[in-house]
Amino acid sequence: MKKPVRVGIVGAGFAASFHLRSYRQVKEIPVEIAAIAGRTKDRAAQLAGRYGIPKIYDDYRFLLDDPSIDVVDLCVPNALHLPLVLETVKAGKHVICEKPLTGYFGQGEPDKEVGAVSKRKMLDKVKADLAEVTRVMAEHPVKFCYAENWIYAPAVRKALEIIDRCVVTGAILEVRGEESHSGSHSEYSKSWRYAGGGALARLGAHPIGAGLFLKRFEGVKKTGLPILPVEVSADGVDLTKTPAFHAVKNSPLVTGWEDVETWAQVIVTFSDGTRGIFCGADNLLGGMESTMDIRLSNARLKLDICPVRICQFFAVDPAPVRDVYFNEKQETKAGLSFPSPDEEWTLGYPHEIQDFMEAIALDRAPLSGLELAKQVVEVVYAGYVSMEEGRKIILSPT
Ligand SMILES: NC(=O)c1ccc[n+]([C@@H]2O[C@H](COP(=O)([O-])OP(=O)(O)OC[C@H]3O[C@@H](n4cnc5c(N)ncnc54)[C@H](OP(=O)(O)O)[C@@H]3O)[C@@H](O)[C@H]2O)c1
């Protein structure tokens, strides 16, 4: 029997829950969830009870001090990602980091003023942080696993297999991607201080990550070198602060956003002259939509990463199915809907955790790693500079 990979989870909210369910599905690699650390110990204890986790802490440092833990899985608000990545790596442990790797969360300003800081200043700070994480990773022989589930979503994996053949004679000319829903459940997401941005950082990070991954893949396949993002232009707004929204009543969209945008779009120019268009928005009713449209010179791929339509349901009165889970962020089950038989599988969460456990146990690189995580942050923050300055921003990679 191989030695198990021993995991410590930090955070006890939404992401921690779906990570824990995915660890249960890992095949061929023995895995033990050794401990969980939450800010609120009771919440961590609830998850520990449900998943049989033996140790519960109210401080993540206990995980770092535990020599039996191999990997620390960070399921915490965005502002904590970078500091905890650095501490985990310095403690000699592998790290799994939820998206985005980092952002600007303030440098001593009052919380309410963080979102108003010049985006150029934010980009400079973010780039310094990315240089720091690169330096620290180079000094420690541990894995950085970037938890971008879109890379692992079955639809994207199938697209990759197809693109692998198509780019022998063709090229990806344009990648469009969007993740939208009616607004985050998490209070942390409403302020720049904790989220490091709005819809672009929180939702747009998924299609940006997948788009950059596909163009990297195409470049490596053709020449051995990745095709990289070189230029970004963007637009963004909090649609719930527009005159149009102020004039409406009873919208089921999430409101109360403090200083972050709820709608954003970036156009990325790649080093081969092709384009990506990526959108993240909190203005969509009817459940989450995660889509990609990949236009090649010789083929086209349309991906519905979520939701799927393999099960149809219709009811005038949805009361009997009140307790049945259908889809993330679906506001009502009245009328026609499409309950997802296994949403987490469709979104790639089990495949992601499988890859990370294999990467650690078999000492190989994960499919989604540090370079991708850094590039997503660079594109997002160049996007914020573009929104503020109203022009294209040239990327200078860290
Ligand atoms: N890949 C995806 O599809 C996806 C989906 C959702 C979220 N995410 C990412 O996952 C991360 C967490 O989001 P979430 O939705 O899980 O948020 P959430 O439901 O609000 O949970 C965050 C958890 O972190 C805990 N926490 C806060 N500060 C902490 C600290 N210092 N030490 C330990 N735990 C701490 C919170 O504690 P309390 O319980 O005390 O508040 C809470 O349990 C975010 O980075 C988000 O971007 C990714």
Side-chain angles (χ1 to χ4, degrees):
M1 171 89 174
K2 282 180 239 159
K3 183 176 157 296
V5 178
R6 287 176 56 86
V7 182
I9 307 272
V10 191
F14 184 62
S17 302
F18 65 70
H19 281 217
L20 282 166
R21 285 191 289 275
S22 293
Y23 283 110
R24 286 193 158 173
Q25 298 181 48
V26 173
K27 299 181 192 76
E28 291 175 19
I29 307 292
V31 176
E32 274 177 35
I33 310 300
I36 182 164
R39 190 184 53 169
T40 313
K41 203 170 177 181
D42 283 355
R43 218 174 157 193
Q46 278 174 25
L47 275 190
R50 201 173 313 146
Y51 292 93
I53 305 170
K55 293 182 192 162
I56 308 154
Y57 300 117
D58 58 5
D59 192 325
Y60 67 88
R61 291 180 189 89
F62 288 109
L63 304 184
L64 304 185
D65 291 342
D66 182 340
S68 76
I69 290 180
D70 302 304
V71 52
V72 175
D73 182 355
L74 304 175
C75 300
V76 286
N78 299 352
L80 294 171
H81 290 182
L82 188 82
L84 268 63
V85 163
L86 293 173
E87 282 192 62
T88 303
V89 171
K90 286 177 185 169
K93 297 185 189 304
H94 308 291
V95 65
I96 298 172
C97 178
E98 261 299 343
K99 57 82 203 169
L101 164 56
T102 191
Y104 184 88
F105 306 100
Q107 293 178 284
E109 306 89 349
D111 285 1
K112 286 197 178 320
E113 290 172 21
V114 172
V117 167
S118 129
K119 303 301 177 287
R120 179 65 65 175
K121 182 177 164 189
M122 290 189 181
L123 178 62
D124 290 345
K125 167 75 170 102
V126 159
K127 286 177 77 163
D129 287 344
L130 295 179
E132 165 79 349
V133 75
T134 308
R135 190 185 59 73
V136 171
M137 277 301 298
E139 288 170 357
H140 295 84
V142 295
K143 312 276 180 224
F144 177 94
C145 304
Y146 178 49
E148 177 42 75
N149 58 288
W150 277 39
I151 308 300
Y152 299 96
V156 176
R157 302 293 298 147
K158 193 68 194 170
L160 203 64
E161 184 189 343
I162 293 168
I163 288 168
D164 180 63
R165 307 300 194 282
C166 291
V167 296
V168 172
T169 52
I172 302 173
L173 299 179
E174 182 189 340
V175 193
R176 293 185 184 207
E178 169 171 3
E179 176 150 300
S180 295
H181 53 54
S182 56
S184 173
H185 64 282
S186 175
E187 283 304 307
Y188 295 112
S189 68
K190 293 184 174 174
S191 71
W192 202 296
R193 163 71 184 84
Y194 294 102
L200 185 58
R202 183 166 34 81
L203 303 174
H206 289 298
I208 293 170
L212 299 190
F213 180 83
L214 293 178
K215 288 300 292 183
R216 287 180 77 85
F217 174 84
E218 178 188 359
V220 170
K221 166 100 189 166
K222 285 177 167 171
T223 67
L225 293 172
I227 296 167
L228 297 173
V230 293
E231 205 171 66
V232 170
S233 61
D235 190 13
V237 65
D238 178 0
L239 288 173
T240 68
K241 294 206 172 59
T242 56
F245 195 81
H246 284 313
V248 302
K249 292 192 178 78
N250 302 327
S251 170
L253 293 173
V254 171
T255 54
W257 305 94
E258 288 178 22
D259 53 1
V260 291
E261 83 285 354
T262 58
W263 177 94
Q265 178 163 297
V266 288
I267 300 176
V268 173
T269 302
F270 290 99
S271 48
D272 64 351
T274 62
R275 298 293 197 270
I277 302 183
F278 306 110
C279 183
D282 294 291
N283 63 354
L284 185 83
L285 296 175
M288 182 164 80
E289 279 195 14
S290 307
T291 56
M292 290 196 94
D293 184 350
I294 306 159
R295 301 172 185 197
L296 295 102
S297 58
N298 53 354
R300 179 187 181 189
L301 281 150
K302 277 189 85 170
L303 312 182
D304 261 337
I305 294 164
C306 181
V308 291
R309 303 256 188 267
I310 58 175
C311 175
Q312 290 193 23
F313 170 82
F314 180 86
V316 175
D317 175 8
V321 294
R322 189 182 299 118
D323 298 336
V324 181
Y325 183 82
F326 273 24
N327 287 294
E328 186 174 343
K329 309 279 189 306
Q330 183 174 329
E331 293 85 15
T332 177
K333 293 168 186 160
L336 179 66
S337 55
F338 300 89
S340 183
D342 190 345
E343 190 180 59
E344 292 182 358
W345 184 88
T346 310
L347 283 166
Y349 296 136
H351 317 75
E352 170 190 281
I353 295 294
Q354 177 79 37
D355 181 50
F356 295 163
M357 293 300 99
E358 286 180 16
I360 289 162
L362 308 177
D363 192 18
R364 64 155 172 80
L367 205 56
S368 177
L370 184 62
E371 282 310 305
L372 182 68
K374 283 167 39 184
Q375 271 173 15
V376 170
V377 175
E378 283 168 4
V379 167
V380 166
Y381 273 77
Y384 284 132
V385 177
S386 173
M387 285 178 204
E388 189 168 82
E389 297 183 3
R391 61 188 181 84
K392 284 186 179 177
I393 305 300
I394 294 170
L395 293 173
S396 47
T398 44

